[in-house]
Amino acid sequence: MRLNNVHGFGSIGKYVDYKINKYAAMEKSFDSLFELMFDETDNIMIESSKGYSFRKITYGEYKQKILSITPTVAELLRDCPHGEAVGLYMSNSTDWLAVFWAILAAGHSVLIMNTRLSDTVLEGVLSDCKIGFVISDGKRFSVKTFTVDEVLVPSEAAYTPCPFGTEVVFMSSGTTDKVKLCAYTGENFYYQVLDSARIIKECPKIKRHYEGELKQLVLLPLCHVFGFIAVYLWFGFFSRTFVFPSDLNPDTIQRTVKRHKVTHIFAVPMVWEKVYSAASRKIAQRGEKTVRKFNFVTRAVNRLGPIGDFLAKKPLSEVRDGLFGDSIRFLITGGSNISHEAVRFFNGIGYHFVNGYGMTEIGITSVEKSTKKRIVNTASIGAPFGYTEYSIGGDGHLLVRGKTRAARIMQGGISHPTDYDEWFDTDDIMRCERGRYYFDGRSDDLIVLDDG
C-alpha cells in the first residue's frame, strides 16, 4: 500500500533519512525540534472520540494552536524571568502538548510535574528548585498557578519568535528524600531521535502501518520519560498519529483501539499482565478442550514465526478481537520485569510484543529489535542503542553511559552535571547473554537474610 504521509517519498526509509539529515544540519535546540516535528502540516497528529463524535487534528492545525496561545503564555508569565523553568502539571489530554510547546516557545524551560506524586513531594520540589509559576489542569499550588483554561485562550497579538527554553525536566518516581529531577537539553533529545531512527532501520516491524497509517495510543503518562520519549518524541518527530482515549477505563481503551485502528501500544508490565490474566480466564471458561487447542496453536505460532502468524490468523481471530483487533502492529512493555508467559501469549496470538528499557535519568536506551519470536519471547531488552553503552558491574548492576542521558540531575536543590564519559549505575540487576541484556530485578527489591 502506498503511504501518503511521508513527505512525498516512496518509502519510510527514505523519509526517515530525509528527516534525520535535515536535523543533523540544524542547531540541536528545541526550536529546531519544534520546526521538524511540525514539518508535515497535512498529516493527522491527533485523533480522539467521545460518544459518537470523532475528531482529527492535523500537525498544521496543532502548530497554529500552539503559536496562538504562546503570546498568552508569555503574558501570563511576564513576571517569570526569561529562561527560567515553569511547572507543568497536567494529566494526558489533547491539550497537553500544546501547553508544553507554548511554554518552551515563550522562552521558558519546562518542569514536567509527575501527577502521581503527593502534594508534599511536589511542593518540596517547587521550593528546592525555586519554581515560581505552574500551569495546571486543576490543582493549585503554593506558587502562582495558572489554569489550562487561562492558557488556552488564543491571543489577539501575533506570535513573536524568541529563543525557546533550553531544558525539559522530568521527575522520577520516589519519596520526598529520593525524588530526582532530570534535565534534558535539545541535544539529548537529538540523540534520542537518532536512536529511534536506528530502531526503524534495524527492526522493520516497528514501522509497519495499517491501511497506510501508523497510530500510537497515548496510554502512558506524558509526564514520564517512557511516555514522553518512546510514545511522543519517537513518533511525533516522524509526524505519526496519536490517539487519545477519553478515559482509562479498560472497555474505553479497547473500543478506542478498535475504532481508531491503533497500530502501536506501549505500556508498563502491570498493564500487560492484567490483560494477559483476563484473557486467560476467558479462554479457561470455554473449557479444557478450548484451552488445549489454544495452547497448541499459540505454541505453533511462536515456533513457526511469520508463517505461524499467517496460518493462525483465522483460528486466533476471535482472541485478538476480544483484545485489540487486527490493526495492531507493535506492542512494547518496559519499566520493570514481565513474565515470559505474558510475552509468549501476545506473540502467540499473532501480535509482535517486545521488551524495552529506560529510566528517568538515562532516557530510553534499548528495546529488543529482533523479528524472531524465539528471541523476543525470552523477554530480552535487546542491546543498547547506537549512542548508548551498557556494562555489567561487579555487583551485577547495569551501568549506562551516553549522550542520551539527562544533562544534569538535581536532588534536594543540588544540581549535578552529567559527565557523559562516566558510567551511571542504574541499580537494576542485569545479565548479558550473547549480546542481549535481561532484566532480573532491582537491587533495592532484594532482602538479604543472615545466610546471605
Side-chain angles (χ1 to χ4, degrees), residues 58-59 69 80 109 139 179 211 214 218 225 264 324 338 363 381-382:
T58 67
Y59 275 83
I69 67 172
C80 181
S109 294
K139 187 184 292 293
V179 66
E211 295 181 350
L214 188 156
V218 184
V225 161
H264 290 56
F324 305 119
I338 187 168
I381 62 168

Side-chain angles (χ1 to χ4, degrees), residues 85-99:
V86 174
L88 174 60
Y89 183 93
M90 290 179 67
S91 299
N92 282 5
S93 73
T94 56
D95 294 322
W96 196 102
L97 294 168
V99 179

